Amino acid sequence: MSTVSTPALSVVIPVYNEQEGLSVLFARLYPALDALGQSYEIIFVNDGSKDRSAALLARQQKARPDVTRVILFNGNYGQHMAILAGFEHTRGEIVVTLDADLQNPPEEIGNLVAKMREGYDYVGTIRRQRQDSWFRRHASRMMNGLRERITHVRMTDQGCMLRAYGREVVNTINRCNEVNTFVPALAYTFSLHPTEIEVGHEERAAGESKYSLFKLIRLNFDLVTGFSLMPLQFMSFLGIALALASGGLFVLLMIERLLFGSQVQGVFTLFAITFCLLGVLLFSMGLLGEYIGRIYEQVRGRPRYVVQAVLDDTLR
Ligand code: UDP
Ligand code: MG
């Protein structure tokens, strides 16, 4: 290990089955960073791609060994694990994350860095005009509002991964050992001076979104359970409210019976109410399960990801 200089800027890019888009990414990313006139390093994390992505990354690392490093996972551990693995290898004062699909234009990195230099330690982003489907746009707006209310993590646009983090924030994140996490929210909780800027947003250059609706819902559960206990408290309050209401109903029925004698009525209303309560009960159990499952995953303490190889020539 000889002289390892600290670059001004580290860029972390998770890659999962992006073979169609990678060459365009390289063609735009490197010139954009060279144009900044600052020392930088790029860390690609291959998240167990099943296509030729790993080979393309390895070739790129050969082409620009001075500024490129590649981490190869032995399987698919998810975008956020890939970013966390990248974080552990960063050396820069400012760390920028970027998607490999070119939905976040690399040319915006300069603006992020400029904003960081104004003294912020976390720069989030808001996509100027989103190029996603109507459904994706509205689904995320709803989720955003709900999530913000529950977790108190203020992110106007949680979906955009083009973000900048200060060294201290990244160091703190590196000390976390969370199995299910959401990097921007984690960073927000540790940051002292967060801010947001607007960035451009483009259509996916090639390939398809790796997030199905199911994965999107899972991610939001991660966010809510990972950053708040409010759903559990909400359940307790709902329980109290329901108990009080049914107590009141019982008193009412008793009085009615004393005044008017026994009546057999409203059997089906009873059914409806029972099933409604059953739904509430199952939902709360499911919610509890969401927490418990995550606790279990955390407690098992398996490695969060396994690195197969690191392609790195910068240490020579
Ligand atoms: N990604 C990853 N592992 C996964 C899924 C996605 O590393 O399991 C990467 C993917 O290659 C891309 C980024 O995460 O660089 C964002 O993925 P995608 O564009 O599919 O998400 P979307 O833009 O639809 O939210
Ligand atoms: Mg994308």
Side-chain angles (χ1 to χ4, degrees):
M1 290 252 260
S2 60
T3 51
V4 178
S5 59
T6 313
L9 177 66
S10 299
V11 180
V12 175
I13 307 179
V15 177
Y16 180 57
N17 293 348
E18 303 279 5
Q19 61 177 8
E20 292 94 352
L22 278 182
S23 54
V24 191
L25 173 69
F26 300 150
R28 279 177 60 183
L29 179 64
Y30 285 83
L33 289 176
D34 288 330
L36 292 181
Q38 301 175 16
S39 56
Y40 67 89
E41 60 177 4
I42 305 176
I43 297 159
F44 292 101
V45 186
N46 177 44
D47 188 16
S49 300
K50 291 170 189 70
D51 63 1
R52 289 178 51 248
S53 298
L56 294 176
L57 291 177
R59 193 196 299 162
Q60 180 61 24
Q61 195 268 333
K62 288 250 161 10
R64 290 294 298 273
D66 50 329
V67 291
T68 312
R69 283 185 286 155
V70 179
I71 301 168
L72 300 168
F73 278 2
N74 75 347
N76 182 236
Y77 295 91
Q79 178 186 1
H80 291 270
M81 285 305 128
I83 292 174
L84 290 181
F87 273 5
E88 295 201 348
H89 284 78
T90 55
R91 301 188 281 242
E93 273 310 306
I94 297 173
V95 177
V96 171
T97 56
L98 187 72
D99 280 353
D101 58 4
L102 279 176
Q103 279 188 291
N104 325 129
E107 292 77 16
E108 298 272 6
I109 293 177
N111 299 336
L112 281 173
V113 172
K115 197 77 191 170
M116 286 292 283
R117 293 266 149 80
E118 287 175 23
Y120 297 99
D121 61 353
Y122 169 67
V123 180
T125 46
I126 307 164
R127 286 169 283 188
R128 209 168 284 131
Q129 78 274 85
R130 292 184 57 176
Q131 300 288 335
D132 280 325
S133 66
W134 182 91
F135 172 76
R136 267 301 286 277
R137 247 185 357 256
H138 286 255
S140 12
R141 184 177 307 164
M142 243 180 54
M143 295 276 210
N144 260 350
L146 187 68
R147 195 226 50 242
E148 199 168 303
R149 210 156 305 150
I150 296 177
T151 60
H152 303 295
V153 173
R154 192 156 297 134
M155 275 187 296
T156 314
D157 188 358
Q158 69 176 52
C160 187
M161 289 306 290
L162 175 61
R163 288 161 195 274
Y165 310 93
R167 183 75 256 164
E168 282 308 314
V169 172
V170 172
N171 285 346
T172 314
I173 291 178
N174 284 344
R175 285 168 50 198
C176 295
N177 203 25
E178 294 183 29
V179 174
N180 295 292
T181 200
F182 188 74
V183 174
L186 201 58
Y188 183 88
T189 48
F190 296 141
S191 130
L192 300 176
H193 301 288
T195 187
E196 289 183 324
I197 62 170
E198 280 207 342
V199 294
H201 183 65
E202 297 168 18
E203 207 105 32
R204 226 173 189 291
E208 286 188 343
S209 171
K210 308 295 181 290
Y211 279 98
S212 58
L213 178 65
F214 178 70
K215 264 180 134 178
L216 216 63
I217 293 175
R218 245 202 75 111
L219 185 75
N220 273 282
F221 262 118
D222 278 348
L223 250 172
V224 168
T225 56
F227 294 90
S228 169
L229 295 180
M230 188 159 120
L232 295 177
Q233 284 150 4
F234 177 71
M235 283 304 148
S236 318
F237 284 124
L238 193 65
I240 293 171
L242 280 174
L244 286 180
S246 61
L249 190 68
F250 176 71
V251 171
L252 210 74
L253 287 177
M254 284 309 279
I255 292 171
E256 203 182 55
R257 185 175 171 137
L258 288 178
L259 291 183
F260 306 108
S262 75
Q263 296 163 312
V264 188
Q265 260 178 17
V267 178
F268 288 98
T269 320
L270 193 65
F271 265 119
I273 294 176
T274 309
F275 279 111
C276 173
L277 290 185
L278 217 64
V280 173
L281 214 66
L282 280 179
F283 177 69
S284 350
M285 268 173 62
L287 197 75
L288 257 175
E290 293 287 339
Y291 281 93
I292 294 176
R294 283 170 175 80
I295 296 172
Y296 182 49
E297 277 181 334
Q298 190 75 49
V299 164
R300 265 191 324 215
R302 293 185 184 162
R304 295 185 296 172
Y305 48 79
V306 179
V307 175
Q308 194 172 35
V310 179
L311 312 180
D312 185 354
D313 286 339
T314 59
L315 291 175
R316 268 187 310 202

